Amino acid sequence: MKEKYFCGQIETPAGLVPVVATSLSLMDKLGAWLVRCAILRNNYRVKPGLYATGSPTDNSPVMVSANYKLSFDMLRHALDGIDSWILVLDTKGVNVWCAAGKGTFGTEEIVRRIDETGLAKIARRKKLVVPQLAAPGVSAIDVKKLSGFSVEFGPVRAEDLPAFLLSGGKASAEMRTVKFEMGDRVKLIPAEIMIHSGALFMSIAVFFLLSGLGPGGYLFSRARDSGVFAVTFLLAAFFSGTVLSTILLPWLPGRSFSLKGAFAGLLTLGLLFLSSGSRANNFELFSWLLLVPSISSFLAMNFTGASTFTSLSGVKKEMRIAVPVQAVSAIAGMALWAISRFV
């Protein structure tokens, strides 16, 4: 099947190799926007194999990439004006860093893909440029032993590849630094919102409807009045955990994401309390004092999977401590909120 980003093919000793465009089309950009919003994410992948940019020769560099299309697109776009080969591994549509942790971007897959594509017949230099974030899953010694190809770890970001190649494979300290700056974090917010939006809407519906309960039975007018108050606090908790904690991450107290999320929830809660006046009784106010930070903490903790600053052991340790606290706090908060309906 000829993909839309193909712009030709090259005859090699191992057969025809597709040439891919280094400029991203409108459809490529639209696809990237959709997956950043967690839409069609599981099917956003390219076929594993060998590709080319420009007019590579047997002396051109060989880049290794995941078959997650967003990773592949970032790589080919960074190689604009560079003649190169791209060896795409079967990472099951997962990005480089996560695939390295899962083991799908690893030594065995690299060796297998070298063999299946006949890369040894094409690349005389016998050298692979592997993303630095793939290092946890790749043993350079074993790749060399099993395939004859040496591994050179490239920079963290694809955009630094031209300078890396121009310097003869020397990466500066800046190229080796893993960053998680404001722009990087903000890009991940839409996906977090979309992933948890279903639970948010369900919670809003339940709290709004149950707000009609009280002395004398159920009143829709009471649901209409009190329900808006409850919906406001739920939205605040959601905003704190998915947006505020992400943006303010470096400045929030604590090291764990769950603690940072709880503080973001308390910050938002304080602003709401100041504006709530006497619209709620003490039971309801105390219920949100427990609910908002616990919800915000849980949502922020989920963000650990999107950060390169976390480790699997660290995440497991944090969850063992945070999840029971979040659960107890949320249950107590819901109990107080239920009592507040009849006080």
Side-chain angles (χ1 to χ4, degrees), residues 44-95:
Y44 204 60
R45 59 184 71 184
V46 299
K47 183 179 179 181
L50 188 64
Y51 300 87
T53 63
S55 302
T57 65
D58 59 357
N59 197 43
S60 296
V62 181
M63 312 294 171
V64 184
S65 179
N67 76 323
Y68 177 40
K69 190 172 183 292
L70 190 57
S71 298
F72 177 72
D73 285 352
M74 292 175 68
L75 175 58
R76 64 185 174 96
H77 183 56
L79 294 172
D80 185 35
I82 298 175
D83 300 325
S84 69
W85 305 102
I86 300 178
L87 184 67
V88 176
L89 308 184
D90 184 5
T91 60
K92 316 303 180 186
V94 176
N95 66 68

Side-chain angles (χ1 to χ4, degrees), residues 200-201 204 230-240:
L200 171 66
F201 293 139
I204 285 176
V231 169
T232 300
F233 275 81
L234 286 172
L235 288 172
F238 189 79
F239 173 81
S240 297

Side-chain angles (χ1 to χ4, degrees), residues 203-234:
S203 300
I204 285 176
V206 170
F207 272 82
F208 183 84
L209 292 173
L210 292 180
S211 293
L213 292 173
Y218 188 90
L219 296 174
F220 182 76
S221 59
R222 185 160 47 206
R224 182 188 59 206
D225 296 334
S226 300
V228 171
F229 187 78
V231 169
T232 300
F233 275 81
L234 286 172

